[in-house]
Amino acid sequence: MKYTELGQTGMKISHLAFGASSLGSVFRATKENESIEAVEAAIEGGINFIDVSPYYGHYKAETVLGMALKRIPRDKYFLSTKVGRYGANGVNTWDYSGKRATESVYESMERLGIDYIDLINVHDIEFQAAMEGGLQKIVDETLPALVELKKKGVVGHVGITDLQLENLKWVVEHSEDGTVESILNFCHYCLNDDKLTDFLDFFESKGIGIINASPLSMGLLSERGVPEWHPAPKPLVEVCTKAAQYCAEKGYPIEKLAVQYAVSNPRIAGTLFSSANPENVKRNIAWANEEPDWQLVNEVKAIIGDQQRVSWANS
């Protein structure tokens, strides 16, 4: 397993990182014991960065992850969780106020059974962009609340997450230097979309660490096929299906190629994937530790063709 420092945080994180959203039964029904084994398999395989959120499974992911962490020494992992996006009883809610952000951090620590969060993120800031105060509220209220917790030693570092790279850049540009220490972006460094590369110079110039997520582009790049809820437009779904079939004919699962491609850029500190299946975790780790078939990468990109970088709104 390779490790890269996340910006200037001092945290050397694994190039394949564990996203705990699956532990919240976000994608399918899960069993607690299997979820715990998946976390243990990740740590045993060399993964040392775990990302979660109170939003995943409406607090379930943090709760189940907390059960797993009881079995793992604290110095074996860096932990990231988030504020701003929540929910209960199947209803999503958002609150980016400084007060709620502060409360949320302490609530997350209780669920996770820890007394220190290595990285605290403002979750999916584009939702605040559409609310009163816009992204300026993230700059003026959410981030200062988290920086205050950093000063108190409750959290180690502060970051922001979003699907829209432009929003991440805007908040960094309008915040005091050093406030935002990392960004987490998803679905923009994968076989069908490498838009993140356009922003690497900017984030690096600010000393900001870069985390990629969703190497399978939320299921677009899978033999199983895109899930019904996926927001991708039909033409993109169709070419990704063709690409998956092509890889299958070559005897090289598109999931394997997608993971290998996503972790291949040394300028990206880590790439998050999520699974509550321990065998799947082990398989992803094995894939990530091998170089991709670059000829096949080029062939897949050619199949995707003019659908490269076609994206969608968050949901």
Side-chain angles (χ1 to χ4, degrees), residues 7 33 46 48 62 71 95 178-179 184 202 219 227 260 262 289:
N33 63 324
N48 73 345
E62 284 191 331
R71 307 184 185 187
D95 187 341
T179 299
L184 192 165
F202 170 77
Q260 292 173 335
N289 288 334

Side-chain angles (χ1 to χ4, degrees), residues 185-253:
N185 180 251
F186 55 102
C187 296
H188 287 310
Y189 194 77
C190 47
L191 289 169
N192 60 288
D193 192 330
D194 63 356
K195 185 179 178 180
L196 178 56
T197 58
D198 291 354
F199 292 76
L200 295 179
D201 286 348
F202 170 77
F203 292 128
E204 288 174 348
S205 73
K206 299 288 186 179
I208 292 172
I210 300 158
I211 302 170
N212 177 39
S214 197
L216 306 189
S217 199
M218 291 163 42
L220 270 178
L221 303 168
S222 66
E223 290 184 355
R224 182 188 304 171
V226 65
E228 288 184 9
W229 50 262
H230 203 293
K234 188 176 179 182
L236 175 58
V237 173
E238 289 173 349
V239 294
C240 287
T241 300
K242 288 180 183 177
Q245 292 168 346
Y246 182 78
C247 289
E249 291 167 4
K250 295 280 187 178
Y252 202 118

